[in-house]
Structures are given as C-alpha cells and as structure tokens.
Amino acid sequence: MTCGFSLMLAGLCSMEHCTDHTRCVLSKDQRSCKCTDGYYADQCDKDADIKVTCGKDHITIRALEDFFKYHNVPLESLHLPNQSCRAEKVVIDSEAYFMSRISKHNYAACGGKPLEKNLTHILYSLCLLSDPQVNGNITRDPVIKMDYTCVYPYTRTVSLPFPLVPFSSETVMRVDDLDATVQLILYTDSSYSKAYSSAPTIELRDKVYVELTVTEPADFFLLLVHECWATQFPQPNTTEGQFHNLLQNGCVKDQTVSFLNVAEAQSGRNGGSSTIRYSFDMFRFTTEPHELYLHCTVQLCEPVDHQSCTPSCSSISKREAMRAGPSQGLLSYGPIKIEMPDRTPSDVLMTVVLPVAGVWTVGFFLIIVITVAKAGKRRITHGEDD
C-alpha cells in the first residue's frame, strides 16, 4: 500500500531567505515565496515531520505540534470534512504531534471522498482542515488544508457466504469495497463444455466434474479451494446427517479426487489460476436421504502472491476454523441426485428370495436322495443275508 499528501497553506516565507528551492518556491513574479510541502518557518528550514500511515484498518495523518503553533492553528480547530471527526494530541518519542486517526469503517462518515478503484487498487482520499481564527469579521492567520491519500491493493481474502442456488452457484463478494464474482458449477464430462441445466442425476462411480472460477474480474485473481465436502442436507455446517470430505486444507482427502489443468486436459493443481477444476467418483451415503449437497470454501490471492495460494497439506483438520472465520468465501451447490436402478418392490423380493428358495430346494432333494440311497443299501444287505 502507498500513501501521500499535499499541503495547501495560505502562508508566505521571507523572500530574503528563499535560497534553497527544495524547501521554498518563488512566485512567477518573483515577489513572494512559499515553503514546499512539509517545511515551515521564515526560512523554510524546519521539517513538519508530516506522516501518513495507511494501516490495515486505520488511516492516520500527523504533524509536529510546533508546525501548527507557528501558523497559529490550535488543536481544537483541526478536523476532517465532517467536523465531528477531530484531531488529537499525541506524544511520540518525546515529540508532541497533532494527529487525525480514523478507521476505514468510518471513512465515509468522516467526509472521505468517493472511493476511486480499478482492477488492482483502491484509493482513499481525505482532507485535514483548520478553521480560520476570526477576530470580529476579519482573520490574519493562514488556513491549513492537508490532502492525503492511501492506495491499497486488493486484499487476498473474500467473505460473505451466499445463498444456495441449484444447478449453479454464483455470488458477488465484497473485497474491501471491491466486487469479485465467484461461481461453482458442475459439468457433464471432462471437456467442461456443457454444464448441467437442471439438478444433476449421476450414477455411482461415474465422474463428477466440478469447476470453481472467478468470473469478474476475469483472469486476475488466483483462486485457492481450501475445502470441499458433501452433506445430506443443504446447510453446509449442519450437524444433522452425514458428511464426506473431498478436499481438506487445499489438499486431496478423497482418493478419487484429481485436479485438471484448465488449459490442457492434464493433471492440474489447486491455486494455480483463476479457474480450478477437479473431479471425483460419485458416491452415496449409507443412510437416507441419498442425494448430495456440495460445499466449498475458497480464497482469492493477488497475481504476485503465489505463496498464499499454494496449499499447505497437513494432518490437522481446519474445517471448524473455516466455518467460523470471516475470511473464507463459501459456495454451495445441490442437490446432486444418485441414479438408482428402476426396480419394483416385487423385483427386489424375487432377487433376494428366489436364490435362497433354490438353495433350500436343492438341499431338500439331496436329503431325499441320500435317504433313499441308504434305504436301498439296507435292503440289499438284508437280501444277501437271506
């Protein structure tokens, strides 16, 4: 992130001392001069030590107390465009400063300018002002106006889970006041050319082809799929029913899962592009309902930040942490139905009962044959004795 400031000050320096043009600037008519940004005093030889800090959650500007005193600007006259957002006095390393510090959450409320943004950065612009010191209906003291900016890159993470939508899932996620659209969809085969237009019905052991992609902005973010799991019910974190992990901590948990390279029909990897494709073998739960709901947690990374989108596999389950953490985006898809053979109850009964009946019939026949054979043998023996 970067920051900067510019200073508008209705105060002049002494002409005879304006010799260093890095600190003071002569007017076009050469009759007056002004101190450059950050310097003050009659000879422009004092550094106001103006510093803008662009923190993760806060934006701060500060300058030496002596700078404001030189221009006869009291602390109580300093404020942002919204006058309720006042400056304060702080002491840092034994030096006194006047400072304005606001959270990014209060940026608009304190009078921040409309956010400027593009595909890579977002710009915050603020202004620290001083009220004129009025005496009757006149003023002789300068008015200070400090314009300052903070430029932030896209943050790496996304948030806000979106509602369950059958057959495809898409949401616009807010990333530090910027929009990113992520989509989860299932395809009919490995070509990824035809998506299911209704709730998929897939046979056991057939491949299920999954694609997660950042549709807007296209081809900018890297996408990491942290975890994918299946449940029997639409709610991703339900404790009701069974669940099965497919991906965990960005790594394969189900041995039938394989990643597919988007550009070529070859083995791919998780986190390598803005589109992630993988497949797994269809299954069903042992208890009803047999239909599945697929859920995935995802993270966005800046193009230069490959490290954050490289999975780190470990034996520690992070599913609970991802449920609770606000930094993960959640996508859900379903239902996915299982194609079962069309059999009537009588067909199932005959399939089970007839083989058993056959066994008993054969057993009964063997008993009769053995009994008859033994009886015949006894009769032969008795005949020889006679």
Side-chain angles (χ1 to χ4, degrees):
M1 61 194 72
T2 59
C3 54
F5 75 93
S6 63
L7 178 63
M8 295 178 62
L9 186 62
L12 303 178
C13 57
S14 300
M15 279 286 297
E16 63 271 20
H17 297 302
C18 187
T19 56
D20 185 350
H21 297 300
T22 63
R23 298 185 178 185
C24 69
V25 180
L26 289 171
S27 62
K28 290 182 180 181
D29 60 8
Q30 304 288 305
R31 299 177 63 183
S32 64
C33 69
K34 267 197 321 186
C35 295
T36 58
D37 287 352
Y39 291 94
Y40 68 104
D42 291 343
Q43 301 182 35
C44 297
D45 57 346
K46 290 188 176 182
D47 187 348
D49 194 15
I50 300 174
K51 183 176 181 181
V52 178
T53 303
C54 304
K56 179 181 178 182
D57 301 310
H58 291 81
I59 299 174
T60 304
I61 186 170
R62 76 183 192 204
L64 286 172
E65 179 185 27
D66 185 65
F67 166 76
F68 295 101
K69 284 186 173 180
Y70 175 81
H71 295 294
N72 197 27
V73 175
L75 174 63
E76 55 270 18
S77 74
L78 284 174
H79 56 80
L80 296 179
N82 184 336
Q83 295 192 17
S84 65
C85 301
R86 315 295 296 190
E88 61 181 330
K89 181 178 178 178
V90 296
V91 177
I92 302 173
D93 295 332
S94 302
E95 290 280 5
Y97 292 84
F98 288 175
M99 181 178 76
S100 171
R101 174 185 168 92
I102 64 164
S103 68
K104 288 163 71 175
H105 177 73
N106 291 328
Y107 171 80
C110 284
K113 296 178 182 178
L115 294 175
E116 298 179 38
K117 54 187 177 181
N118 55 30
L119 287 179
T120 59
H121 291 85
I122 181 168
L123 185 144
Y124 291 77
S125 299
L126 283 160
C127 181
L128 183 65
L129 306 162
S130 68
D131 292 326
Q133 301 303 298
V134 178
N135 183 11
N137 59 354
I138 66 169
T139 181
R140 290 189 171 92
D141 297 316
V143 173
I144 288 178
K145 181 183 180 185
M146 293 180 174
D147 291 303
Y148 57 104
T149 60
C150 283
V151 181
Y152 291 87
Y154 277 109
T155 56
R156 299 186 185 94
T157 54
V158 298
S159 60
L160 298 181
F162 60 92
L164 182 74
V165 181
F167 324 134
S168 68
S169 295
E170 182 178 274
T171 190
V172 176
M173 296 180 180
R174 184 68 68 176
V175 186
D176 255 10
D177 299 310
L178 294 169
D179 296 336
T181 304
V182 182
Q183 184 182 68
L184 166 63
I185 196 166
L186 265 59
Y187 286 83
T188 58
D189 56 42
S190 59
S191 69
Y192 285 85
S193 58
K194 183 180 179 181
Y196 285 101
S197 58
S198 60
T201 300
I202 304 173
E203 291 187 14
L204 293 175
R205 295 187 178 180
D206 278 2
K207 291 291 184 184
V208 181
Y209 297 97
V210 184
E211 180 182 270
L212 298 100
T213 185
V214 185
T215 58
E216 291 183 11
D219 301 321
F220 176 75
F221 286 113
L222 297 178
L223 178 65
L224 175 65
V225 184
H226 268 291
E227 184 179 11
C228 287
W229 69 99
T231 62
Q232 293 178 288
F233 299 96
Q235 297 76 20
N237 298 324
T238 181
T239 57
E240 184 180 4
Q242 298 177 326
F243 73 91
H244 176 70
N245 282 329
L246 296 167
L247 299 174
Q248 193 171 71
N249 199 26
C251 304
V252 172
K253 184 68 174 176
D254 182 306
Q255 62 182 1
T256 69
V257 171
S258 59
F259 289 97
L260 183 67
N261 192 309
V262 175
E264 304 171 6
Q266 299 175 351
S267 177
R269 71 179 184 89
N270 190 7
S273 70
S274 60
T275 297
I276 303 300
R277 291 173 176 173
Y278 72 90
S279 66
F280 64 91
D281 291 356
M282 186 60 180
F283 63 91
R284 71 173 179 86
F285 291 107
T286 54
T287 60
E288 293 187 349
H290 295 311
E291 62 187 19
L292 311 178
Y293 292 86
L294 181 63
H295 315 280
C296 294
T297 56
V298 297
Q299 177 176 318
L300 300 184
C301 306
E302 297 175 54
V304 295
D305 189 10
H306 295 276
Q307 187 66 30
S308 293
C309 264
T310 301
S312 177
C313 301
S314 67
S315 60
I316 300 174
S317 171
K318 295 189 177 180
R319 183 176 178 193
E320 292 298 330
M322 289 182 183
R323 285 181 181 180
S327 63
Q328 302 299 326
L330 175 65
L331 296 88
S332 295
Y333 182 105
I336 306 171
K337 300 179 181 179
I338 292 85
E339 184 167 326
M340 304 290 286
D342 293 330
R343 291 180 178 177
T344 63
S346 60
D347 290 335
V348 177
L349 181 63
M350 290 297 290
T351 303
V352 176
V353 173
L354 284 180
V356 176
V359 171
W360 280 102
T361 302
V362 173
F364 182 65
F365 175 74
L366 289 175
I367 292 171
I368 293 174
V369 171
I370 293 171
T371 304
V372 171
K374 286 183 177 180
K377 186 177 181 180
R378 285 197 294 273
R379 283 197 299 269
I380 294 171
T381 304
H382 288 312
E384 291 177 352
D385 292 341
D386 293 342

